[in-house]
Amino acid sequence: MDLFKGVVLSIIVLLHVVIVGKNDVGDPAPYVQAIYLGLIGFFIISGYFFKPGRGFKENMRRRIKILFLALMISAIGMSLISFAWCSIWGQPTDLDDLLLCLKRAFCCERIDVNYGDPVPWAICGFSAGYYFLWVVLGACVLFYAVADYIRDDWRKGAAAVAVLLAVTIAYRELFTITLPGFLNLSPIAAVFMIAGMYLAKFDLAGRIESAGVRSKKFWAAFIGCTAGAFAMVYALPPTINFEYMSFGDYGGYSAIPYVVEGVLVFIMLYFLFFFLSKVPFISHIFSEIGKHTMGILLLHIFVAKMILAPFITFDDVVSITGDFNGPLRIVMAFVTLILSYLICAYGPAIIKRLRAKE
């Protein structure tokens, strides 16, 4: 699971490096959409590691302590760093833009705004994907409220999934606005958590690992799952606009195949990463990354902002890097990646020293 988390998030970060070398990204290919579904797998992982018996209050206390505090610190701290970074590269950012960036970080920029309507972009926060962590926090409330009651009864679980999907479909069909904290996405995220809980009960990881990569059964299951996942992704493209409740071409009803695709891609990737775990050096690197899931999720948001900041043009104002060609853009992106790493690697130590405590 650590390897799974490390590889998926690293792919997302590297995709941002590639994006800056292109002037027109266009609609993503189906295989890119399948890779994006790997990020949705983090909801499944949250359910996979559910420990029954703790109760709703204890589970939420643990989640709030980690998620909410991290969101508060990162939303403010990373916004200030990206504001300074954009200023260095000549982006037309000011204090009003910083306030807009903070508003977006706290998921308040799309309240009472239709999904298809544009909203003012915060130049120093244009790629801040904090919505994902807010959705996790909201989904935990729904998931922990029912998890202990449905874990040992698949019929109750199926009923809970049906209700949550019905709420998701109804909201997408009847309303066009985003709720504060993207609470409108919490029901479908909770569905993925429930799926993860049942995959753990089925002992997915244990079954795959016990089969082993030398087993015909292992490869038959992997090929079958991969073929099913890509067939569905090509037949019913899931899109990559999860935050806009865009699950496919059929409005809210696309949420049903979207969930199936997400679970299939999760299982497919687990097969793939279990095979990758047999490669010592690579598996060690990504497993270390995956051990720090929260930090890497926040790092993804931070790096995405830092990498893209110098290259985006706003209001016909071209930044210093506006004339950079493809190769120079890639070089600049990797330089930014290194700088981002140094900030994240040594920033906590500096803060600890200043505060003289952990």
Side-chain angles (χ1 to χ4, degrees):
M1 285 295 181
D2 286 339
L3 183 68
F4 182 106
K5 294 182 287 186
V7 174
V8 169
L9 281 169
S10 298
I11 289 173
I12 298 298
V13 172
L14 289 176
L15 281 176
H16 283 87
V17 175
V18 175
I19 286 171
V20 302
K22 296 184 177 182
N23 293 324
D24 182 15
V25 178
D27 293 330
Y31 72 88
V32 175
Q33 297 180 25
I35 292 174
Y36 178 82
L37 284 173
L39 191 61
I40 301 299
F42 281 95
F43 296 132
I44 299 177
I45 289 175
S46 293
Y48 197 96
F49 287 110
F50 168 71
K51 290 181 172 58
R54 283 179 175 170
F56 176 79
K57 290 184 179 179
E58 176 61 17
N59 279 313
M60 285 308 303
R61 184 190 69 81
R62 290 169 178 264
R63 279 295 185 175
I64 290 175
K65 182 179 180 181
I66 298 173
L67 274 174
F68 190 71
L69 181 61
L71 278 168
M72 295 300 101
I73 295 173
S74 60
I76 296 172
M78 292 182 184
S79 295
L80 291 172
I81 293 173
S82 61
F83 173 76
W85 187 239
C86 285
S87 300
I88 290 173
W89 291 104
Q91 294 285 19
T93 187
D94 53 27
L95 291 179
D96 287 339
D97 186 64
L98 176 60
L99 292 176
L100 187 59
C101 175
L102 291 170
K103 185 177 180 181
R104 187 178 189 202
F106 287 97
C107 293
C108 298
E109 86 282 8
R110 295 202 62 85
I111 298 176
D112 296 330
V113 177
N114 291 335
Y115 293 129
D117 292 345
V119 295
W121 281 99
I123 295 171
C124 63
F126 58 88
S127 65
Y130 294 101
Y131 74 89
F132 193 87
L133 295 176
W134 285 106
V135 173
V136 171
L137 192 60
C140 284
V141 177
L142 299 175
F143 174 68
Y144 289 136
V146 300
D148 277 321
Y149 301 101
I150 66 175
R151 184 176 181 274
D152 296 322
D153 189 335
W154 67 268
R155 287 168 294 189
K156 291 181 179 179
V161 167
V163 170
L164 291 169
L165 279 177
V167 170
T168 301
I169 294 169
Y171 190 92
R172 183 64 181 88
E173 291 297 310
L174 299 176
F175 302 96
T176 60
I177 59 173
T178 301
L179 295 177
F182 285 87
L183 290 175
N184 47 291
L185 288 169
S186 295
I188 190 170
V191 169
F192 282 115
M193 290 183 180
I194 292 172
M197 179 182 66
Y198 282 118
L199 287 176
K201 186 175 175 61
F202 178 71
D203 193 20
L204 171 70
R207 289 172 182 266
I208 292 176
E209 292 169 14
S210 63
V213 295
R214 298 181 183 274
S215 167
K216 292 182 180 179
K217 184 179 179 181
F218 176 93
W219 290 105
F222 171 59
I223 293 172
C225 188
T226 302
F230 276 92
M232 285 201 68
V233 167
Y234 273 87
L236 299 166
T239 80
I240 60 172
N241 295 315
F242 178 76
E243 66 268 37
Y244 296 102
M245 295 196 80
S246 179
F247 309 119
D249 298 330
Y250 301 98
Y253 297 100
S254 293
I256 298 173
Y258 188 87
V259 169
V260 178
E261 291 165 353
V263 174
L264 282 175
V265 167
F266 176 83
I267 298 172
M268 175 194 75
L269 290 177
Y270 193 90
F271 271 102
L272 180 62
F273 296 153
F274 175 70
F275 176 75
L276 189 61
S277 71
K278 302 305 179 181
V279 184
F281 180 72
I282 295 177
S283 64
H284 175 73
I285 292 175
F286 289 111
S287 293
E288 283 299 312
I289 292 173
K291 288 179 181 177
H292 310 284
T293 312
M294 175 60 64
I296 299 298
L297 276 170
L298 295 174
L299 177 64
H300 155 231
I301 296 167
F302 175 61
V303 172
K305 288 168 65 175
M306 295 285 281
I307 286 177
L308 294 178
F311 302 104
I312 304 299
T313 299
F314 294 91
D315 302 325
D316 298 324
V317 178
V318 180
S319 69
I320 297 172
T321 61
D323 295 328
F324 283 15
N325 58 23
L328 282 176
R329 284 171 171 251
I330 297 297
V331 171
M332 183 62 200
F334 273 104
V335 170
T336 307
L337 190 60
I338 294 171
L339 177 62
S340 300
Y341 169 77
L342 293 174
I343 290 173
C344 292
Y346 297 103
I350 294 173
I351 294 173
K352 180 181 177 181
R353 182 173 296 181
L354 291 175
R355 292 183 56 83
K357 62 180 180 180
E358 185 69 40

